[in-house]
Amino acid sequence: MTTWFSQFRSAKYQTVHWLLWTLVELPIVFQCLLFSVGGVLMILVELLGWQEISWIDQTLWQTLVTALVFVPSFLLLFWLEFRRGRRWAAQSQPLQAESVWARYFPYLIPVLYGWSLWTLTWLLPDWESQFMIAFFPFLPFLPLLGMVALSGTAAFWLPVIHSGIYLLAATAFATGTWKSGRLAVRFDWRVLCVCALLGLLVAASSVQEWIRYHSLLHEDPQYPALLENRYTHRYRPFANDSAKNLTPLRQSPALRFTSDFPRLDGATALFPIYAAAAQALYAPPEFVGMQARLEFEENVQCSTTPRAYDRLIDGHVDLIFAAAPSKAQEALAAEKGLQFTLTPFAQEAFVFLVNAQNPVNGLSVEQIRAIYSGQTNDWKDVGGLPEKIMPFQREANSGSQTVMEKFVMRELALRKPLEEERIEGMGGLVRSVADYRNYKNALGYSFRFYVTKMNSAPGIKLLEIDGVAPTVENIRAGRYPLTETVYMVTIKDRPQSGHTRQLQDWFLSEAGQQLVEDVGYVGLASQ
């Protein structure tokens, strides 16, 4: 046993021993220290009532708590590694000549491995696979990274935490052995090469991060985005304040549902229409008991166009209100042997919007097609100032994106959309198509009612298209070239309740079309 132990402590097995330490034991030791310090701090916070101090700024408080947890943990780790270095030196032969590579290889290799994968992942085109691959080097610190993920900054701190802990431990161990005065170190060119390579990887990754950061959009409070689901809560039927936000019927309805309520869903921009109809035609909750309020809310949803089509295909709703389906939505229905039935019930203008300070007041359809296909890139080419056009797009399969692809671009392919990064869920970064931001050189599109009534933002101007403004009068007269039909959509040959068919018929009646007009759309009867 003694012979085996001495062999294990010899130079031949030293690297294996240290690798086991750095890859397994060191992460466990540090995380035990961290969570122990954090637990003690939380007990103190609870006992002393520090969480009730309201005058401390929230950001300052979070920074202070983080420092009180991490700083003592780092100091304890440094002390333990310093002691381990001194003990190792004391057990070795006096003035034993040992290479830097043999002594610090276990600390450098995990850092090199981590930064190598982190740098290479930026070359992958798929955003989700980048972080899946980059995650593997950091598995030993999974509990710690899970804790950091809750703060929404996990992706940024992956290489920093990983390499920082290893380098701190290596520094502490080197300090301990140096203080002992017993071990000599021979210079090794391999260490120099590894350090140079590590420096290049850090520099390359930093440059990639800088390029990625400046090529993507980020939240800017000066230029709010037009997000689809931000204001729908104001139009929820049967809510306490719904009466002041939903358009009432001009006369008492001849139709009233007291059971077997049609399950509705649809586009954000159309929610005020079918929510107002449900408010008027569905029996109020007090008629059937307050417990029915949740049932009413479940029967009238607004999950946006893509989700509404999915729910219709899956049979979770009976009827949706939306623009015509995209090719992908039609293909998904066809895969399941289904076909959509589209019933027109209103007209709406598909509009293009710019900053109010933009001197351009109108574009032709062909100019729009040239911009969004990438043929035109500067505002001076369409009568504006010499500035690069920033053309925003919408989420795939959304109502506005489908109209843009099918009825504006037609056979032309859209250019690569502007993208943004945001943090969702457990701190994960998500890259998505950027919604409209009202920069001075921006160009975006949506539906007239949505950008003028539901989510009107200051400093936005709607463009004339082919010299015609998107007004209700021009839509009604058929002059506006991008007037689109919106539909009630069901599944062909799928059994429907009588109430669902009655609701569709009601929307096509004089009362239903009057509601469409009163909400702010253009009814079919006025065409």
Side-chain angles (χ1 to χ4, degrees):
M1 181 68 180
T2 304
T3 304
W4 178 86
F5 185 75
S6 62
Q7 287 180 345
F8 188 78
R9 297 300 294 267
S10 67
K12 182 177 180 180
Y13 295 97
Q14 178 176 292
T15 299
V16 176
H17 176 76
W18 281 2
L19 274 175
L20 290 174
W21 166 259
T22 53
L23 293 177
V24 180
E25 297 177 53
L26 179 59
I28 294 176
V29 168
F30 177 76
Q31 288 169 110
C32 288
L33 291 173
L34 185 71
F35 293 127
S36 297
V37 173
V40 171
L41 179 63
M42 295 306 296
I43 293 174
L44 289 175
V45 168
E46 185 70 25
L47 291 176
L48 300 176
W50 290 345
Q51 75 275 16
E52 299 176 3
I53 301 177
S54 59
W55 53 267
I56 297 181
D57 179 75
Q58 185 68 21
T59 302
L60 177 62
W61 174 248
Q62 291 176 350
T63 304
L64 179 62
V65 170
T66 302
L68 289 175
V69 172
F70 275 89
V71 172
S73 303
F74 283 133
L75 291 176
L76 286 172
L77 177 68
F78 189 93
W79 179 76
L80 288 174
E81 284 296 288
F82 176 83
R83 291 288 303 272
R84 197 174 77 88
R86 295 201 66 167
R87 287 197 308 271
W88 187 275
Q91 295 170 359
S92 302
Q93 298 178 5
L95 300 178
Q96 174 185 334
E98 190 178 42
S99 70
V100 176
W101 175 259
R103 187 180 298 176
Y104 303 116
F105 166 82
Y107 294 105
L108 293 177
I109 290 303
V111 178
L112 181 65
Y113 170 65
W115 277 98
S116 297
L117 275 186
W118 183 259
T119 304
L120 291 175
T121 51
W122 295 117
L123 302 177
L124 298 175
D126 180 61
W127 179 244
E128 287 75 15
S129 62
Q130 290 178 353
F131 285 101
M132 286 295 294
I133 294 179
F135 186 73
F136 286 108
F138 316 120
L139 281 178
F141 297 96
L142 184 60
L144 171 60
L145 297 175
M147 183 187 73
V148 177
L150 294 174
S151 68
T153 55
F156 298 122
W157 287 99
L158 280 174
V160 177
I161 291 176
H162 178 264
S163 58
I165 292 172
Y166 282 122
L167 294 177
L168 176 67
T171 303
F173 185 84
T175 305
T177 56
W178 173 70
K179 279 290 186 179
S180 70
R182 294 178 58 84
L183 292 180
V185 179
R186 297 195 313 269
F187 175 78
D188 196 317
W189 63 270
R190 289 176 295 183
V191 175
L192 182 61
C193 291
V194 170
C195 291
L197 180 58
L198 181 60
L200 288 174
L201 290 174
V202 172
S205 184
S206 300
V207 170
Q208 288 173 326
E209 176 71 17
W210 185 89
I211 294 174
R212 180 182 58 82
Y213 183 88
H214 287 81
S215 65
L216 297 174
L217 296 174
H218 301 270
E219 288 292 346
D220 188 338
Q222 185 179 358
Y223 300 114
L226 296 181
L227 301 177
E228 282 201 349
N229 58 356
R230 180 179 292 177
Y231 299 109
T232 55
H233 66 276
R234 297 185 304 182
Y235 300 96
R236 285 184 308 164
F238 320 115
N240 293 332
D241 58 348
S242 60
K244 66 180 181 181
N245 294 317
L246 291 174
T247 303
L249 299 185
R250 296 192 179 189
Q251 300 177 5
S252 298
L255 180 67
R256 180 70 67 116
F257 303 123
T258 58
S259 63
D260 192 21
F261 303 105
R263 298 172 298 169
L264 311 179
D265 203 339
T268 304
L270 295 171
F271 189 45
I273 297 180
Y274 65 87
Q279 175 90 355
L281 303 182
Y282 289 20
E286 58 264 28
F287 286 2
V288 291
M290 291 302 295
Q291 193 170 354
R293 183 178 297 275
L294 286 178
E295 181 183 349
F296 277 86
E297 292 179 352
E298 292 174 358
N299 286 329
V300 187
Q301 295 284 315
C302 181
S303 59
T304 73
T305 300
R307 180 65 181 148
Y309 269 104
D310 290 341
R311 296 186 70 210
L312 179 64
I313 291 171
D314 294 337
H316 298 312
V317 293
D318 305 310
L319 173 66
I320 69 171
F321 297 78
S326 66
K327 293 181 180 178
Q329 288 157 345
E330 291 175 337
L332 179 61
E335 286 179 7
K336 299 187 177 183
L338 303 175
Q339 186 176 349
F340 296 121
T341 297
L342 307 180
T343 304
F345 78 99
Q347 297 283 324
E348 173 62 322
F350 187 66
V351 299
F352 286 82
L353 49 149
V354 296
N355 187 282
Q357 302 301 316
N358 193 323
V360 174
N361 293 315
L363 294 171
S364 68
V365 173
E366 290 307 314
Q367 286 175 324
I368 292 171
R369 286 160 54 83
I371 291 171
Y372 275 96
S373 63
Q375 301 172 31
T376 300
N377 298 289
D378 201 293
W379 280 109
K380 66 179 176 60
D381 297 328
V382 290
L385 299 175
E387 193 168 12
K388 185 178 179 180
I389 300 174
M390 184 178 284
F392 285 83
Q393 296 185 37
R394 300 304 303 275
E395 176 189 4
N397 295 323
S398 66
S400 53
Q401 188 70 4
T402 299
V403 172
M404 183 66 179
E405 293 171 350
K406 293 179 69 172
F407 303 109
V408 179
M409 300 303 293
R410 297 192 290 276
E411 75 281 357
L412 285 179
L414 282 161
R415 68 197 302 166
K416 186 179 184 296
L418 299 169
E419 292 183 321
E420 66 178 344
E421 282 182 353
R422 64 178 184 271
I423 294 172
E424 282 192 357
M426 291 286 288
L429 282 179
V430 177
R431 180 178 291 180
S432 64
V433 175
D435 286 307
Y436 179 79
R437 306 270 174 79
N438 196 27
Y439 300 107
K440 291 184 178 179
N441 60 336
L443 174 64
Y445 48 81
S446 187
F447 289 103
R448 177 195 58 87
F449 180 83
Y450 182 73
V451 297
T452 59
K453 302 292 185 180
M454 291 187 70
N455 191 7
S456 59
I460 286 178
K461 175 174 62 176
L462 302 188
L463 295 178
E464 296 179 352
I465 304 299
D466 289 342
V468 182
T471 63
V472 171
E473 292 74 21
N474 286 332
I475 298 171
R476 182 173 287 115
R479 291 190 293 265
Y480 185 71
L482 297 181
T483 297
E484 299 299 329
T485 301
V486 288
Y487 301 92
M488 295 179 285
V489 187
T490 56
I491 297 297
K492 185 178 181 180
D493 297 329
R494 175 180 287 174
Q496 292 184 5
S497 68
H499 287 176
T500 300
R501 290 190 294 272
Q502 284 181 306
L503 181 61
Q504 290 178 276
D505 293 339
W506 182 87
F507 264 108
L508 300 178
S509 69
E510 182 179 350
Q513 290 294 292
Q514 186 63 61
L515 175 63
V516 168
E517 293 275 346
D518 290 344
V519 169
Y521 282 76
V522 176
L524 299 179
S526 59
Q527 294 300 305

